Amino acid sequence: MDSQGAKRPIQGGRPMLILSRKRNEKIMIGDDISIMVVDIRGDQVQIGIDAPRSIPVHREEIAIEIASEIPQGSRKRGTKTKNR
């Protein structure tokens, strides 16, 4: 639970960090990845991601599809095709 008593969602067996941002505000991941809320329309949020080309960035459903297409024995960490 957080300081306000709300349970935090669990992702991958560990608590997920939940941050609030307004339009045009950013979240930094390390020194070279930024995520910005570009627009908010109803229940959809447009997000801009600035990351080095060496970091694969995919929507979750695309990442799952890519992972299912790669033969199990040839999977290596960080070698997925980019979808930018």
Side-chain angles (χ1 to χ4, degrees), residues 29-77:
I29 300 174
D31 293 329
D32 55 358
I33 300 173
S34 67
I35 300 172
M36 184 171 80
V37 176
V38 176
D39 198 12
I40 304 166
R41 293 183 186 167
D43 65 347
Q44 287 195 331
V45 178
Q46 240 183 9
I47 297 172
I49 302 168
D50 183 22
R53 287 210 167 272
S54 61
I55 306 289
V57 177
H58 305 286
R59 296 186 324 247
E60 181 182 35
E61 62 273 20
I62 300 298
I64 290 169
E65 186 177 314
I66 291 169
S68 70
E69 292 174 359
I70 299 172
Q72 196 72 14
S74 65
R75 249 183 234 172
K76 290 183 182 176
R77 221 176 163 156

Side-chain angles (χ1 to χ4, degrees), residues 13-41:
R14 59 185 181 265
M16 179 186 294
L17 176 62
I18 311 277
L19 302 172
S20 297
R21 299 277 74 198
K22 294 179 181 175
R23 187 176 285 118
N24 296 321
E25 291 183 335
K26 291 183 179 181
I27 295 170
M28 296 299 300
I29 300 174
D31 293 329
D32 55 358
I33 300 173
S34 67
I35 300 172
M36 184 171 80
V37 176
V38 176
D39 198 12
I40 304 166
R41 293 183 186 167

Side-chain angles (χ1 to χ4, degrees), residues 8-16:
R8 304 180 113 205
I10 301 294
Q11 179 73 23
R14 59 185 181 265
M16 179 186 294

